[in-house]
Amino acid sequence: MALMTGEQYIESIKKIKMEIYMFGEKYSNPTESPILRPSLNSVRMTYDLAQMPEYEDLMTVVSPYTGTRVNRFTHIHQSTEDLIKKVKMQRLCGQKTAACFQRCVGMDAFNALFSTTYECDKAHGTNYHENFVKFMKYAAEADLTVDGAMTDPKGDRSLAPHAQADPDMFLRIVERRPDGIVVRGAKAHQTGICNSHEVIVMPTQSMGPDDKDYAVSFAVPLDTPGLFMIIGRQSCDTRKLEGSTLDVGNSEFGGVEALTIFDDVFVPNDRIFLCGEHEFAGMLVERFAGYHRQSYGGCKVGVGDVLIGAAAVAADYNGAAKASHIKDKLIEMTHLNETLYCCGIACSAEGHKTESGNYIIDLLLANVCKQNVTRFPYEIVRLAEDIAGGLMVTAPSEKDLRDEKIGPYIDKYLRGVATVTTENRMKILRLIENLALGTAAVGYRTESMHGAGSPQAQRIMIARQGNIQGKKQLAKDINNATRTDQTILSAMAELIAGQDEDDLDSVLRIMNTFSLDKTFVSTVALLRPDGTLLLTDGARYDVSGAFDF
């Protein structure tokens, strides 16, 4: 099947009879609500861009598994070049939507499962890799959006899954049947799941032997019986119901999150990718987290580009663009944003091939990337708010701006530079508000903190991957080499002092004993009392004028 257009994607989602709940109402697909539609448009952009010739190299790739050109969001990475293009693609999508475009989790789940199922099969003789490759090829050929579901509610964080007062706090297998399994539980914070065709479920943490029923991974369609979604609130979300495009800030694009319930959902055998092999749960989580922490070096940077641009436009409209402190703030915002991008590119360029054949990022650098993401967007937002000014959060509504009586006063007193309309000034300020405090702040701020694992999760991985013991040994080696140099030079001096200073042959023999190929000493030369410098090859130089004897 050829790549879908954006419109074909929308029509394909309409055909899926989902079970979505929001504000006490039930919906069968996200096109039915003005609150959900912007998030659907963000995913649509990943299809529209793939149709554009100028973005073909970033957005699409010829798959070695299907032999056809597929959307890169369904691709298994074959090289470090693929990893780098992934980050560049994500930055592009962030630039075009200024929102979460929701397909990264599925792509990262694909690549984590590809290698993990391969190694699990090798250890246990299972056929999970075959199951997964079959599913991956189906999704790639049909150009599907696949959600990745990892985060369990967790209940009491101090207890393992099997020890919870309510055993459903982690999604688990409740029945094993000849034709498949039945699972029960929930997955929280599911970004874009109502805009997806399929969902891949994964365990949320490492598991022990007592947790084997929780060590499960599989894929099911979004219209599977027993699966339903409860949409989460976002700051300023009901502005989308007011009929105003100005007040929303970004009326075209957005993100969405849902608490997703699996109420005794049946999974057929050929859709199971892990089923009780608890020792591979941790591997899957670690690899998925690494890929997803790499992703943030692309998507958050693209959104950051828009926010930096909006702040610069606000400065223009305020008449403050030439102020040195404004220029410096924009420089700092750019520096922070590009640092995140550097981390995403670095962990990609340092990636390596797995035993299964796909490529994985450098896990240490990926965790450094995400650790920076937990901080830098917050500072970028703070600087954007500083540049924008208080009107970003005190401006009247669009309805008041259009009012026959009070509209002219708003237009008069809230104008900035004379060449820019008050409406345009308010639009750019509302866009900043949307990213800093509104619906998009879920994806740009709080998701930067907690998405792909909260900050401490990265610090644990940095400690594990940072090779402190190796760094300690490097310091010891340098320290020991310095002491060795000093000891050798002292011994050489004592030997030479015991020789006749005119017996050059004896002196040279001693000097050559301590030469570079036999010791840590880098260079051996003897400065004689008569002002000559003697080298190991017998050469002598008069340096009496250079030293005060």
Side-chain angles (χ1 to χ4, degrees), residues 88-128:
K88 291 182 176 182
M89 172 185 71
Q90 290 168 315
R91 185 173 191 172
L92 172 67
C93 292
Q95 291 170 338
K96 296 297 185 179
T97 62
C100 177
F101 39 91
Q102 304 152 53
R103 293 185 76 179
C104 305
V105 187
M107 170 176 53
D108 295 336
F110 268 35
N111 281 276
L113 276 165
F114 187 87
S115 60
T116 302
T117 54
Y118 181 90
E119 294 182 37
C120 184
D121 285 358
K122 185 176 179 180
H124 289 282
T126 47
N127 63 341
Y128 300 141

Side-chain angles (χ1 to χ4, degrees), residues 6 107 134 266 377 402 415 451:
M107 170 176 53
K134 178 183 175 183
F266 173 71
R402 310 291 183 210
R415 186 178 292 265

Side-chain angles (χ1 to χ4, degrees), residues 483-512:
R483 287 204 298 267
T484 301
D485 276 2
Q486 294 170 343
T487 302
I488 290 171
L489 291 172
S490 296
M492 183 175 70
E494 289 181 11
L495 288 170
I496 291 174
Q499 301 295 318
D500 182 344
E501 67 178 42
D502 293 324
D503 187 358
L504 293 182
D505 289 339
S506 296
V507 172
L508 284 171
R509 279 197 300 273
I510 294 169
M511 291 172 65
N512 277 290

Side-chain angles (χ1 to χ4, degrees), residues 526-548:
L526 178 65
L527 183 63
R528 294 166 57 82
D530 63 359
T532 59
L533 188 69
L534 177 64
L535 304 184
T536 53
D537 62 0
R540 299 173 68 175
Y541 299 92
D542 183 3
V543 295
S544 57
F547 298 95
D548 182 9

Side-chain angles (χ1 to χ4, degrees), residues 11 19 35 74 106 110 116 131 143 148 172 194 213 255 266 295-296 322 324 330 361 388 414 462 473 510:
E11 291 303 313
E19 195 173 345
I35 288 183
T74 64
F110 268 35
T116 302
N131 286 353
D143 201 10
R172 64 191 177 110
C194 64
D213 286 341
F266 173 71
S295 289
Y296 279 28
K322 294 182 179 180
S324 60
L330 291 171
I361 68 288
L414 295 187
I462 291 170
Q473 189 59 50
I510 294 169

Side-chain angles (χ1 to χ4, degrees), residues 433-447:
E433 180 195 38
N434 173 258
L435 288 163
L437 304 167
T439 56
V442 175
Y444 187 62
R445 290 187 57 173
T446 309
E447 189 180 278

Side-chain angles (χ1 to χ4, degrees), residues 267-278:
V267 183
N269 283 327
D270 65 351
R271 287 297 196 94
I272 298 173
F273 312 136
L274 192 69
C275 186
E277 293 79 15
H278 61 87

